Amino acid sequence: MSYLEYNTKYVPTGLRKLLHLNWPIILLLCAVACAGFLMLYSVAGGSMTPWVEPQMQRFAFGLVLMLIVAMVPIWFWRNMAFVAYGGSLLLLLGVEFFGEVRMGAQRWIDLGFMRLQPSELTKITMVMFLAAYYDWLPNKKTSHPFWVVLPVLFILTPTMLVLNQPDLGTALLLLLGGATVMFLAGVHWAYFATVVGAGVAGIMAVFQSRGTTWQLLKDYQYRRIDTFLDPANDPLGAGYHITQAKIALGSGGWTGRGFMQGTQSRLNFLPEKHTDFIFTTLAEEFGFVGAFTLLVLYLLIVIFCIISALGNRDRFASLLTLGIAMTFFLFFAVNMAMVTGLAPVVGVPLPLVSYGGSAMLVLLVAFGLVQSAHIHRPR
Amino acid sequence: MKRPPKDVIESVRTVSRRALVMGGVQLGVIGALGWRLQSMQVEQADQFRLLAEENRINIRLLPPARGLIFDRNGIAIADNEQNYRVVMVREDAGDVGEVLAKLTEIVDIDPDDLSRAMEEMQRRSPFVPVTIADRLSWEDVAEINLNTPALPGIQAEVGLSRVYPWGADLAHVVGYVGPVSDFDLSRIDDPDPLLQIPKFQIGKTGAENKLEQTLRGSAGTRRIEVNAAGRIMRELDRQEGDPGKDIQLTLDSRLQSYVQARMDGESAGAVVIDLENGDLRAIASAPAFDPNLFVRGISVPDWTALNEDKYRPLAAKAVQGTYPPGSTFKMVTLMAAMEEGFVTADETVYCPGFTDVFNIRFHCWKRGGHGNINLHESLKQSCDCYYYEIAQRVGIDKMAEMARKLGLGVRHDLPLSAVAEGLAPDKEWKARVRGEDWRIGDTVNASIGQGYVLSSPLQLAVMSARIATGRVVTPRLIRLVDGVEQPSGLGESLGINENTLRRVRASMEDVCNHRRGTAYGSRIVDEAHKMAGKTGTSQVRRITPEERAAGVTKNEDLPWERRDHALFVGYAPYDNPRYAVSVVVEHGGGGSRAAAPIARDILLQAQYGGPPPLEAYPAGVRDKIAEQQRRIAARVPPGAKGRSRA
């Protein structure tokens, strides 16, 4: 029902769509993925197994999936948004009851051929659904309280389910990703200001109350928060990992210690060196130059997405593209902030570089949606 | 339903505006991340690099070989011995129980050690070598090496451990080493990282303790790369430390061994000083203990036995025991009086067998008295009354001054544990320590080396050496440190009138060589090796007037603890002194009977550099001496198995 449907005659068809793909984004994605292969090869001690090969296969599969998604007209995806969102919620509920417990959290659901993390999927389907919602909603109702509360519920439902797994990192990404789409759609500033203000006030109240008669949390909860915010308080437990990660990162210097020469990763001082903390290995072995280059590659992907969205007059397409760009941004920004000690460790992988199937496939499908929006933009 | 274009334009405008805001925020975040990377990787890189190196590199200390101690002839008295131990690496062993079972078939291993090792292996990482058995013989190690294929994970390692080839003979001088204890660490202020090594051995007593810094050497280091689990990946480099410096003592271990053997069965101390340079040729304390027991860790029964022995084997009596010097102190009294001009050679004092001083009666050892007695005879016959008289003339302060001049009541600086200061009392001392006035009776008592006077065998030997030479002889125990000769102990003149010295020496000569001298029974007849000296018998009990009236109980009838100490100081040859000696036999009875024969034998042994011919002894005692020499020769000198320096 959008503007788009009336201008389909200008949209490329068949194989000509390939020519209209957003190629810079694809090339940047490949570059980042290659950096990932390189690092996985290094942390495996110079071996294709156990990580590089499966990661390459998954990336190839993901690329194909991306192209298929890209070929499908964007209005189809818009119509599917509600189904996708509903399906994700059902899967999250499924995890809640039937999911596998691994590493202390209930996140995975076994599909037979692969283990899926529905929370990863939800990051995209929720953005899709919110974009479709604002596409459907007349502009002037955007800031109407009722039409604001509704999407807030759409965001909070999966967030709560994910938080219950527990997976703080993904919950944070869902919350921020959803809020970004609402912000982009034009919800009034005042709402955001209120929420942020209330949040800050609440946090301050919790901390101010400490040690007073009206203390809001129990003592042990405060201690837990302390450790969470400053792992140095617990140098042998939570603090050990972040301390070692910072040492690895810092010791890289300008140009790094050389490929496969990082002592922190090679001698196993680094935790989770093939997943969440892979950035530290890269920073150790390739130094500031390598780490900053990767940061620039990520930034370029986001910039190309924003450019594509700005050039797209379709409300659903641009909101979707920007929402996905934001989700992607949150992924790597939170991960990097975490490993550089700027943010507490919440368990967010480095997109396309960390070893892991669900996140990579979901991200590539999401970029498929971005491509589809790009190809089928109104001309 | 068609959306009006106006709505679309407005929507696109809003989205674009807010997208730019979003992009701005993202740029800000990326800027922050970039700044963070820059500050960590560029500004603080050195700091983090250091931390990474600290993580990766472990510095292991290589303990240096401890310096050896030799005697004056280059014979080792504290040596390092190769010591074999068997270690096991769990991850290489496969079935730990089976391998250990095979190992126990090959060598005897204490079941306690075995279970302790098993426990330790379970507790530690699988790649850490755990010691199974220590101090194995070379044969055992050879056997293990032969069976290496059947014993996976088992390795023989070699280390050094301290050994004292002379055993008990030099125990008090050399001391012993033992593992650093928490008590040691709390007591000594020594930042040497070697002390942190578990079971690192440091000197605990004697020269081992006092010369610790010289003997220890400095640690070498080995830098190794370890992974996060602590497994050693490779050795990066190795820097050998400096081994401890060797020390040569002035002791003659053969003479020392002889003195120990000669004093066997007594509780005694003896010191021999070389008058050429103050070298201590022997510092013997009997009974002694085997220091090797302590190196291995002494067992509780052994420890209890040593501690409860009433002869106190752990005490270094020669330097740390203090005794009333008895009549050996008479030289001090006499020389003080002569130097101050209170007595001349011709003057006689009448000895009725006692002297009354303010209603207190002081007895001479000879009940009937010596009659009229002059200076020369007073020392030779050891008349007490003579000294009661002249001491009252000269006063205690001059006597104490002379005592300190001769080396009594002062601490001689030797690298040994607890060198006693002794006591040469004077008025100031009594006022300070006792808070009482000095009484004339105290002076009378001190004149014959009783009362407050205390001295160690070392101090008595120094006194003897200083009288014999007239010079400041300082005892010297260390001859060479790392090949460097230490200063001689022979100093300048004492500043005592030559006439005084000559008269005292002449009298001491007659003590041993005149028919009426107190040590005539222990004379040396060989003209070139004759000795001079002075006997002493010091009371450890007070004889009450009632006892005296009833007849003084003979020493032999008293319990050992209440018998008199027997003392002798002397030197030889009398006309050209080379060696000075002192002997104290605790509760040995009379000095002439118990101490003088020992001193005579020691001086002969020192002068001949081995067993003297029987002709050196008076004819009457030769049979007894021959028997004694056979007995001592039959005793296997423990140092025979030690090595000597080329």
Side-chain angles (χ1 to χ4, degrees), chain B residues 56-58 222-225 234-238:
Chain B
R56 166 174 90 100
I57 295 171
N58 260 2
R222 183 172 155 239
R223 296 198 316 143
I224 50 174
E225 185 178 87
R234 63 195 164 116
E235 182 174 294
L236 298 171
D237 56 45
R238 171 190 278 262

Side-chain angles (χ1 to χ4, degrees), chain B residues 69 172-175 205-212 214-215 247-250 280 283 319 412-419 458 475-479 481:
Chain B
I69 305 179
H172 296 115
V173 181
V174 180
T205 64
E208 288 273 34
N209 175 250
K210 294 287 172 176
L211 302 173
E212 173 67 22
T214 311
L215 291 167
I247 287 174
Q248 185 169 38
L249 300 184
T250 58
L280 288 158
I283 309 174
V319 294
H412 299 290
D413 182 27
L414 290 184
L416 293 174
S417 304
V419 177
L458 171 72
R476 179 174 86 149
L477 184 60
I478 304 173
R479 187 154 177 248
V481 174

Side-chain angles (χ1 to χ4, degrees), chain B residues 10 14 49 62 150 194 199 216 276 280 282 327 350 359 424 434 437 444 452 458 460 535 549 585 600:
Chain B
E10 190 195 311
T14 309
R49 174 66 68 95
L62 297 168
L194 277 171
K199 294 184 181 173
R216 188 190 294 159
E276 276 188 349
L280 288 158
S327 300
Y350 179 70
N359 302 328
R434 293 285 177 108
D437 283 341
V444 173
Y452 298 119
L458 171 72
L460 291 173
T535 58
V585 181
R600 170 201 60 194

Side-chain angles (χ1 to χ4, degrees), chain B residues 411-481:
Chain B
R411 178 175 283 120
H412 299 290
D413 182 27
L414 290 184
L416 293 174
S417 304
V419 177
E421 189 175 350
L423 181 60
D426 56 18
K427 290 175 183 164
E428 186 272 329
W429 169 84
K430 193 173 179 191
R432 178 164 48 82
V433 177
R434 293 285 177 108
E436 291 169 19
D437 283 341
W438 187 267
R439 295 176 191 196
I440 194 69
D442 295 331
T443 306
V444 173
N445 263 329
S447 71
I448 58 161
Q450 294 284 159
Y452 298 119
V453 191
L454 287 173
S455 54
S456 66
L458 171 72
Q459 289 171 329
L460 291 173
V462 170
M463 175 184 79
S464 175
R466 289 184 181 179
I467 293 172
T469 57
R471 298 171 71 173
V472 181
V473 177
T474 311
R476 179 174 86 149
L477 184 60
I478 304 173
R479 187 154 177 248
L480 303 172
V481 174

Side-chain angles (χ1 to χ4, degrees), chain B residues 255 258-259 262-263 270-272 282 284 579-583 595-608 617:
Chain B
L255 181 65
Y258 173 81
V259 177
R262 181 63 185 83
M263 297 196 302
V271 173
V272 181
Y579 297 105
V581 70
S582 71
V583 174
I598 297 178
R600 170 201 60 194
D601 293 344
I602 294 172
L603 283 175
L604 275 173
Q605 187 82 13
Q607 292 181 88
Y608 279 96
Y617 291 92

Side-chain angles (χ1 to χ4, degrees), chain B residues 68-71 73-81 162-167 169-170 253-254 257 292 636-646:
Chain B
L68 306 184
I69 305 179
F70 296 98
D71 84 339
N73 300 313
I75 298 169
I77 54 185
D79 205 347
N80 295 329
E81 189 181 52
R162 202 66 157 170
V163 65
Y164 301 104
W166 290 82
D169 283 354
L170 283 139
S253 50
R254 281 188 294 256
S257 184
N292 293 306
V636 180
K641 63 177 187 255
R643 61 169 160 168
S644 53
R645 187 161 55 180

